[in-house]
Amino acid sequence: MAGIETLFTNATLADGSLKDIGVAGGRIVSIEPAGAAPRASATVDIAGALLVPAFVEGHIHLDTSFYGDKWIPHKACTNGFDVHERVAFQAENMAQAAPMDERARKQLELCVANGSLQMRSHVMVDGSVGLKLLETILKIREEYRDIIEIQLVAFPQNGILKSPGTPELLDEAIALGADLVGGLDPASFDRDLQGHLDVVFGVAEKRGVGVDIHLHDFGSLGAFTVEEICVRTAALGMQGKVAISHAYGLGDLDPDSARRIGAKIAKAGVSIMTNAPGDHVFPPVALLRSEGVTIFSGSDNIRDSWWPYGDGDMLSRAMMIGYRSGFYTDDELTAAFDVVTTAGAKALGLEGYGIALGGKADFVTLAAEHLPEAVVAVPKPRRVFKAGRLVAENGMVAR
Ligand SMILES: [Zn+2]
């Protein structure tokens, strides 16, 4: 096998086989039964550990986490979950937090150390903060380009129509380097579903980029908004480029209604992000997958103004999704793993993802016999390789 730069030996793959994996130029160039491949100039012994593609952190907020900063106690809403009130708490907390670049770096390293090498982060862009948070996160993205690939969503945390100047700022954000246009509860926050979506899809169409909208609305309002986003996606031929994050309302539907709307979501090529959120209802993962919907996941908030939880570990996120979904069989547990890996790659439109010939050599080793065990046990000893190079071990980014 000519041209192998590094041979990763004795890797257990998801199908249970023991393989040697050859890497050159950051790509997988050979997958042979263990011992069958000729020695390469460099060899890394995986020693029988499970080797899986790096995790996809599909939804996080690099700008608003307090991870690694001083502990900021959670403030409860005064009368049930209220997005407006939470945004106000966030503004108070951000004013006393450590500099954003320091916090973002700590959060990024936490994610990489846990095995995420592909990420989509939302970053606030609206009339209250302008483009300054995005400018900082763009610099951080450059700093970490060799170890993690990051998509940025221009996220109007204070609404689009309610926050003067935001439509223009979203457009400028894309010109500056953001990859997708975000949105926030078009009906309940801005009180204008169509007006909000006009801006989001207008900028996306003009700039030729994707969309990822936060949708916390419950019940029929949430479901109706999902349908409207699907209609717009199909009309603009944006299948595969639009995601709805949270979509709590899908968790309020009876199974027949959920199946009907699931078929529409699948047909429109819209992906749904869920993080198995605390005590909220959330989309029925198995039912929607059976309808062909791409469900992906992310940590979302890690120790921020929305909740104190989060560990930056997409494998523990898979466990939470499986736990809350009542996943017990091996097939179900494997589906939970898929949500944080292959389905995430599909939702983010990633090229060369997976343990396959020609794929990027971005992988993680786990002390588990197979995927179902990895999901329930969440083993922590890991080695993380980006383009075939060790980037993290024992919970620390390699320097
Ligand atoms: Zn979010």
Side-chain angles (χ1 to χ4, degrees):
M1 198 60 60
I4 294 175
E5 292 164 8
T6 308
L7 189 66
F8 294 84
T9 60
N10 305 307
T12 300
L13 300 190
D15 64 3
S17 64
L18 197 64
K19 293 282 168 56
D20 290 348
I21 296 173
V23 170
R27 298 270 172 171
I28 296 171
V29 295
S30 70
I31 302 176
E32 299 283 338
R39 300 285 100 176
S41 52
T43 301
V44 177
D45 189 2
I46 300 299
L50 186 63
L51 186 138
V52 300
F55 304 122
V56 178
E57 168 60 79
H59 185 124
I60 200 165
H61 294 262
L62 286 173
D63 52 346
T64 50
S65 170
F66 304 120
Y67 175 78
D69 193 359
K70 62 181 180 296
W71 181 262
I72 296 186
H74 179 79
K75 293 189 187 97
C77 288
T78 48
N79 189 22
F81 178 68
D82 179 336
V83 173
H84 290 85
E85 198 172 20
R86 295 244 64 86
V87 172
F89 290 156
Q90 178 166 275
E92 289 169 25
N93 288 339
M94 293 279 282
Q96 50 163 316
M100 192 182 43
D101 57 340
E102 289 173 22
R103 290 182 285 110
R105 282 191 196 96
K106 284 176 180 163
Q107 192 172 206
L108 265 182
E109 299 201 5
L110 175 73
C111 295
V112 171
N114 279 308
S116 290
L117 298 179
Q118 309 275 358
M119 170 183 283
R120 176 178 288 179
S121 173
H122 296 251
V123 181
M124 278 171 69
V125 170
D126 56 36
S128 73
V129 297
L131 296 167
K132 66 176 190 283
L133 307 193
L134 178 65
E135 285 164 355
T136 301
I137 298 296
L138 281 165
K139 281 192 201 118
I140 302 281
R141 172 163 79 174
E142 251 346 277
E143 267 180 48
Y144 283 82
R145 182 169 288 284
D146 288 346
I147 62 171
I148 184 166
E149 294 167 45
I150 305 172
Q151 297 180 355
L152 298 176
V153 185
F155 172 47
Q157 176 77 85
N158 285 282
I160 293 176
L161 309 175
K162 283 201 167 164
S163 180
T166 299
E168 295 76 17
L169 285 165
L170 292 175
D171 186 58
E172 286 173 42
I174 301 298
L176 203 58
D179 305 278
L180 300 103
V181 187
L184 172 67
D185 298 335
S188 65
F189 202 97
D190 268 347
R191 314 295 293 182
D192 183 349
L193 172 58
Q194 301 303 344
H196 188 103
L197 294 182
D198 282 346
V199 174
V200 172
F201 281 91
V203 174
E205 188 184 17
K206 175 184 165 194
R207 296 284 181 182
V209 296
V211 163
D212 191 331
I213 298 179
H214 277 70
L215 181 60
H216 306 92
D217 292 321
F218 297 100
S220 53
L221 181 60
F224 178 69
T225 305
V226 168
E227 289 185 289
E228 288 300 296
I229 292 170
C230 289
V231 167
R232 297 234 180 193
T233 301
L236 290 173
M238 287 180 65
Q239 291 89 341
K241 295 182 73 178
V242 175
I244 302 173
S245 287
H246 300 305
Y248 295 153
L250 297 177
D252 279 330
L253 302 172
D254 63 79
D256 283 347
S257 305
R259 248 182 276 285
R260 268 198 302 278
I261 196 168
K264 286 184 189 171
I265 297 167
K267 189 158 182 239
V270 170
S271 303
I272 302 290
M273 192 298 299
T274 184
N275 64 331
D279 61 343
H280 296 313
V281 292
F282 70 114
V285 175
L287 180 150
L288 292 173
R289 280 172 61 92
S290 75
E291 290 298 325
V293 179
T294 301
I295 309 273
F296 68 116
S297 189
S299 299
D300 194 10
N301 309 101
I302 296 180
R303 293 194 197 175
D304 69 0
S305 307
W306 296 70
W307 69 1
Y309 291 99
D311 59 3
D313 183 355
M314 290 308 295
L315 189 56
S316 77
R317 189 64 48 184
M319 186 274 284
M320 281 184 242
I321 286 164
Y323 186 90
R324 283 214 62 197
S325 299
F327 287 175
Y328 301 139
T329 68
D330 281 3
D331 282 351
E332 290 169 334
L333 295 170
T334 301
F337 189 85
D338 183 74
V339 167
V340 302
T341 52
T342 307
K346 187 176 177 200
L348 268 61
L350 303 179
E351 178 273 326
Y353 184 85
I355 308 301
L357 284 179
K360 289 182 179 170
D362 297 349
F363 41 71
V364 181
T365 65
L366 299 172
E369 190 181 337
H370 41 53
L371 300 181
E373 190 196 8
V375 170
V376 299
V378 194
K380 275 294 181 183
R382 300 175 195 180
R383 279 191 284 173
V384 185
F385 296 89
K386 172 80 180 153
R389 183 174 64 88
L390 183 74
V391 293
E393 192 171 18
N394 299 324
M396 301 286 291
V397 169
R399 289 291 181 200

